[in-house]
Amino acid sequence: MTGSAPDGPRARFRPKDRAGGIIAPMLLAVLLVAPARAAAQQFVDAAATIIEVAPGGDATERLQEALIMVPEGGTVRLLAGRYEITRGLSLDVPRVTVEGAGMDATVLTFAGQEAGSEGLMVTADDVTLKDFAIEDTKGDAVKAKGVRNISFIRLRTEWTGGPKPTNGSYGLYPVESENVLIDGCVAIGASDAGIYVGQSRHIVVRNSRAERNVAGIEIENSFFADVHDNLATHNTGGILVFDLPNLPQQGGHDIRVFRNRVVDNDEPNFAPPGNIVANVPRGAGLMIMANRRVEVFANVFRGNATADVLVVSYPFEYDDPHYDPHPTAVFIHDNDFAAPVFAPEGRLAGLLKERLGEEGANIVFDGVMPFLDALFGRAPEEGIMIREAPDVRFANLRMIWAKLLPWRVAVDRDAARYRGSGRLEPPIAAVTLPQDAAPAGR
């Protein structure tokens, strides 16, 4: 869902609305406290399109007021300093920019948060958030739901007490949205995913760093995504491309993962019990589950102790008739691997050690597929296709046969059998966003 109803909870605050309704008491409150705040919060341009908010007392109230009063197309400017925020903030005005002085200079700390399920909630189209940080929220740091053309530029989200299951689930969290840009951001310490894009379409995640989260970057049940030039390090799992059942948008597809550095993802899994990512094994570099048409190329993988690339089917029972649990048309080529560091931990560790012995692999495929495909075979283009250097180690665990046959079924380590045609048909197109047509200096 990407549109916005003209009324209801997502009603927009346009200037003509401000004569009555809930705006009247808000204006009254603003007028009563205006003299005391005049120096800290005011329109700073003659057109009344830019509101500056300074740190200091009543930061929560002043910032929320600014997010309500800013006109369409306006800017809320956060000056350098630390803002003590005590409850969740929301923005429902379209075409607004919220900008700080830099991700280390303007910090919204929620360490004393008393109310609200996230730090900042955005429900308006064409919003840009840039150059500030959000720390220590009770729940998600920044969430955007049901919006178009949302941009996260040079933001930092962090839980400063280190990885803990009581940290919020997500750092940057756009969901059910279209045209999502995440550029130059940093996400640290989320108990689910540092950077998560779910049930969305047309997505670019680039030039960002995800560190010490359970999942560094996660693309879930989404269509058309480019994930490139990021660093995923010291997470439990570096990058996840998942499709899960019982979600409104099914059939995630056309995902490209390229030119990323996926290194040393060695954080013990600290997700709360019952969370799906609690099953992600420590040391999973890139994990692809139940998605289709995924291309992985020109990445650098190092030091991921379970496997650099895991391609698996959804392993649990489900009751969603529209759900396909198997990965399909996954093309892995021209990546930079080193010798695998094989020291798996977590839910898959026993299975991997049983099937692989002491010799790990850079690329591990569980070998689970529809039974007829397993029986009669299928082309690599329809399953997993690999074009890597000869010294890259591969393992098909052949779990479907290992479960069905009473005798031991050998692991297939011959990557040459999965070379296929070396292309997806049709090729996955690059994602182009309207935000990239914005003027320089965005």
Side-chain angles (χ1 to χ4, degrees), residues 159-234:
W159 284 267
T160 59
K164 294 186 293 187
T166 53
N167 290 351
S169 295
Y170 302 105
L172 302 177
Y173 181 17
V175 64
E176 298 174 10
S177 297
E178 182 171 351
N179 298 332
V180 175
L181 174 61
I182 297 174
D183 190 358
C185 295
V186 175
I188 301 173
S191 65
D192 193 308
I195 297 173
Y196 170 95
V197 185
Q199 301 174 71
S200 298
R201 61 180 64 209
H202 302 126
I203 301 148
V204 174
V205 180
R206 67 190 181 202
N207 306 318
S208 296
R209 174 165 59 93
E211 180 177 340
R212 287 182 288 152
N213 309 283
V214 174
I217 300 170
E218 183 173 355
I219 307 296
E220 184 177 279
N221 291 63
S222 291
F223 309 157
F224 311 111
D226 277 353
V227 180
H228 67 92
D229 295 291
N230 302 289
L231 171 63
T233 186
H234 299 301

Side-chain angles (χ1 to χ4, degrees), residues 170-360:
Y170 302 105
L172 302 177
Y173 181 17
V175 64
E176 298 174 10
S177 297
E178 182 171 351
N179 298 332
V180 175
L181 174 61
I182 297 174
D183 190 358
C185 295
V186 175
I188 301 173
S191 65
D192 193 308
I195 297 173
Y196 170 95
V197 185
Q199 301 174 71
S200 298
R201 61 180 64 209
H202 302 126
I203 301 148
V204 174
V205 180
R206 67 190 181 202
N207 306 318
S208 296
R209 174 165 59 93
E211 180 177 340
R212 287 182 288 152
N213 309 283
V214 174
I217 300 170
E218 183 173 355
I219 307 296
E220 184 177 279
N221 291 63
S222 291
F223 309 157
F224 311 111
D226 277 353
V227 180
H228 67 92
D229 295 291
N230 302 289
L231 171 63
T233 186
H234 299 301
N235 306 285
T236 303
I239 300 175
L240 276 53
V241 180
F242 276 12
D243 224 58
L244 299 178
N246 303 114
L247 292 175
Q249 179 165 294
Q250 288 290 325
H253 63 84
D254 286 74
I255 313 295
R256 302 194 310 162
V257 180
F258 59 99
R259 294 202 308 263
N260 301 284
R261 289 183 56 80
V262 186
V263 298
D264 298 330
N265 287 288
D266 53 8
E267 183 66 41
N269 196 317
F270 59 96
N275 190 315
I276 186 68
V277 296
N279 299 289
V280 174
R282 175 186 183 186
L286 166 64
M287 190 169 178
I288 301 168
M289 184 174 73
N291 222 287
R292 64 185 174 91
R293 288 177 53 79
V294 180
E295 187 172 8
V296 180
F297 61 98
N299 301 283
V300 175
F301 293 98
R302 294 287 188 278
N304 301 299
T306 290
D308 291 314
V309 181
L310 273 172
V311 182
V312 299
S313 292
Y314 182 74
F316 306 109
E317 293 185 0
Y318 59 93
D319 59 0
D320 183 344
H322 305 292
Y323 183 62
D324 181 353
H326 306 296
T328 304
V330 176
F331 183 22
I332 303 167
H333 63 98
D334 300 301
N335 296 284
D336 183 350
F337 294 96
V341 179
F342 189 53
E345 294 182 15
R347 187 173 178 273
L348 286 177
L351 171 65
L352 290 172
K353 291 178 179 176
E354 175 188 344
R355 298 296 291 158
L356 299 178
E358 298 299 320
E359 186 181 356

